[in-house]
Amino acid sequence: MNMRSKILAAAAASALALTIGTAASALTTYTIGTGNSAISGFPGPYGTVGVTLTNNTTANIVFTSNTPQFWFLGAQAADVNVNATSWTLSNLLENGAGTASNGGSNQADGAGFFNQTIDLTDGFTDRASSISFTLTNTSGTWGSDSTVLIGNNLGNTVAAHIGVCTTNPCTGFAATGFGTNTGGGIPEPATWAMMIVGFGGIGAMMRRRRSLALAIV
């Protein structure tokens, strides 16, 4: 293998290592865009859920609502289906008027069963535009942030209890219900860039090898 081929191979290997390595740093985002019958009259997207893997066993999860119209509230305010047998929950924060707590596993109306839910203080006065927490996998590892969560019994990965405001500032809710993700998680542009570089390098290396094989024949 000549120097050019070695450089291409190294570039491809490096890019793929970054893309599918044991601790990918790019953010994966899920869109909460499908509402159940209680809020379907108020089209989403209602918010987003960002997943960032900080190492191969720890991930930060951030729920962000599309205020001022949509807010998180009540029981099962933020729900995820974790791709692990066991895990711990830490760094639980919300920016509402009350407190957030671990809701364990529970049903989200119309969205199915989730093995990790977050409850906000009872009462609609504790509305939040952001809920965040950290998951630590105690049963294995995650290869990338897109593998931290997995679809539940209805194929949904995330869900949220949504309050719909029709005034700004919000003085009360016109409707409340549950929203869930539309489609799978979307990698950030940095992830796509690394994949393109990696596959481009592999393609160039394969073309080089094909040319050498033809020349030998």
Side-chain angles (χ1 to χ4, degrees), residues 34 36 79 106-114 152-160 178-181:
T34 302
N36 66 1
D79 316 301
N106 220 318
Q107 292 280 344
D109 187 17
F113 180 87
F114 291 86
N152 66 2
N153 58 312
L154 296 183
N156 297 316
T157 310
V158 301
F178 282 87
T180 190
N181 60 295

Side-chain angles (χ1 to χ4, degrees), residues 70 176 207:
F70 303 119
T176 63
R207 287 193 297 272

Side-chain angles (χ1 to χ4, degrees), residues 9-211:
S14 297
L16 285 178
L18 288 170
T19 303
I20 61 175
T22 57
S25 60
L27 181 74
T28 293
T29 302
Y30 298 88
T31 298
I32 305 173
T34 302
N36 66 1
S37 58
I39 60 172
S40 59
F42 303 90
Y46 307 104
T48 58
V49 182
V51 181
T52 304
L53 197 67
T54 58
N55 59 58
N56 60 7
T57 60
T58 305
N60 294 326
I61 314 294
V62 180
F63 278 68
T64 305
S65 67
N66 285 343
T67 56
Q69 186 176 17
F70 303 119
W71 300 79
F72 304 128
L73 73 160
Q76 293 87 59
D79 316 301
V80 296
N81 207 53
V82 184
N83 184 22
T85 303
S86 61
W87 61 91
T88 59
L89 177 76
S90 60
N91 302 324
L92 179 54
L93 299 171
E94 62 128 328
N95 65 349
T99 58
S101 60
N102 186 348
S105 58
N106 220 318
Q107 292 280 344
D109 187 17
F113 180 87
F114 291 86
N115 57 19
Q116 180 63 70
T117 68
I118 305 298
D119 296 339
L120 296 191
T121 308
D122 191 25
F124 295 161
T125 56
D126 182 18
R127 57 176 179 262
S129 60
S130 177
I131 300 172
S132 62
F133 51 91
T134 299
L135 297 173
T136 301
N137 192 340
T138 57
S139 60
T141 60
W142 291 307
S144 69
D145 38 30
S146 63
T147 64
V148 173
L149 305 179
I150 192 171
N152 66 2
N153 58 312
L154 296 183
N156 297 316
T157 310
V158 301
H161 193 174
I162 302 295
V164 180
C165 281
T166 55
T167 60
N168 186 17
C170 180
T171 57
F173 295 113
T176 63
F178 282 87
T180 190
N181 60 295
T182 305
I186 302 173
E188 290 293 289
T191 302
W192 289 115
M194 287 189 292
M195 291 176 67
I196 291 170
V197 170
F199 292 132
I202 290 173
M205 185 169 61
M206 291 178 65
R207 287 193 297 272
R208 174 65 176 171
R209 286 180 177 176
R210 190 180 299 113
S211 297

